[in-house]
Amino acid sequence: MTLKDYQKKRDFRASPEPKGKEKPAKGEPRKFVVQKHQATQLHYDFRLELDGVLKSWAVPKGPSMDPSVKRLAVQVEDHPIEYADFEGVIPKGEYGGGTVMVWDTGTWRQNGDAREGLQKGSLKFELNGKKLKGGWALVHMKGRGEKNWLLIKENDPYADRKGDVLEKYPDSALSGWSLQEITEKAQNERTAG
Ligand code: MN
């Protein structure tokens, strides 16, 4: 696993994102993060720590607690572990330009072998976040391009068929701020600096 693709796409003199480096693989519990990203299109980035990097998927509609809802999750380049704490503004014109919020954060545990699951296209896991909890699955969509997966909530006591977790908890799990507040804070810091 490598961060080469991640680093190639970004100019770290222009973007406050961490350059990062690969870390030695470590055991459980591992980190997960969901970042709400107001780029050209609002989307959510779902990241699971594995083998010293964050395996990453862009989820256009964000996660749902309803097990009957399957959300498209497009696998993107591995991100550095440090990215899990990144909340701020990527300047316009840079790769992924826009505001990034740590929408949820916590630990995850694999059910079964995570590396094998990734390779075979079926990853089952438990999330222990501030917002997302319980069993989840990432399932590869066969024959629909190699990057397309589905993110699905398992049926368990944490499942919720009525509420929308994205609307219920719109703000940062790290700072409590809204996208607007994160954006304004970055602008103020730029002016002050
Ligand atoms: Mn993104």
Side-chain angles (χ1 to χ4, degrees):
M1 256 159 261
T2 169
L3 296 173
K4 233 177 257 168
D5 288 347
Y6 169 86
Q7 288 166 344
K8 239 189 297 178
K9 287 181 176 183
R10 291 166 176 82
D11 177 355
F12 297 101
R13 290 163 304 180
S15 173
E17 295 164 289
K19 183 156 186 269
K21 54 179 184 197
E22 287 131 65
K23 302 276 189 302
K26 71 175 194 54
E28 295 186 316
R30 300 186 173 98
K31 262 186 203 181
F32 90 93
V33 64
V34 181
Q35 279 153 322
K36 188 173 175 179
H37 186 182
Q38 178 67 69
T40 314
Q41 297 273 338
L42 177 70
H43 62 274
Y44 293 76
D45 291 299
F46 187 84
R47 312 189 196 279
L48 298 174
E49 175 187 359
L50 188 68
D51 291 341
V53 295
L54 296 173
K55 308 303 291 181
S56 296
W57 290 261
V59 184
K61 291 187 175 172
S64 169
M65 299 298 277
D66 182 344
S68 71
V69 173
K70 300 176 171 69
R71 290 281 156 88
L72 175 67
V74 182
Q75 193 170 10
V76 299
E77 73 276 14
D78 296 344
H79 279 51
I81 302 283
E82 294 94 322
Y83 209 91
D85 302 316
F86 175 67
E87 185 168 272
V89 176
I90 304 169
K92 279 205 181 74
E94 296 303 314
Y95 184 76
T99 302
V100 177
M101 169 200 289
V102 176
W103 180 79
D104 198 18
T105 180
T107 57
W108 73 284
R109 282 181 189 281
Q110 62 209 50
N111 297 333
D113 187 285
R115 282 167 211 99
E116 198 184 296
L118 266 180
Q119 252 164 19
K120 290 192 170 163
S122 175
L123 190 62
K124 304 220 173 203
F125 50 94
E126 305 274 330
L127 295 181
N128 186 13
K130 292 184 178 167
K131 298 169 185 171
L132 303 183
K133 291 182 189 290
W136 293 76
L138 270 165
V139 183
H140 190 231
M141 293 170 80
K142 294 203 169 58
R144 301 279 190 91
E146 60 180 275
K147 294 184 187 312
N148 290 350
W149 296 63
L150 294 170
L151 177 66
I152 310 162
K153 179 77 195 78
E154 301 271 5
N155 203 359
D156 64 18
Y158 294 109
D160 178 4
R161 287 167 183 79
K162 293 188 203 102
D164 181 342
V165 69
L166 305 177
E167 282 178 14
K168 199 170 170 188
Y169 305 113
D171 298 333
S172 171
L174 203 64
S175 61
W177 292 334
S178 66
L179 278 174
Q180 179 74 25
E181 287 167 325
I182 294 166
T183 310
E184 282 168 8
K185 185 175 177 279
Q187 279 164 353
N188 293 343
E189 275 174 6
R190 222 170 290 155
T191 318

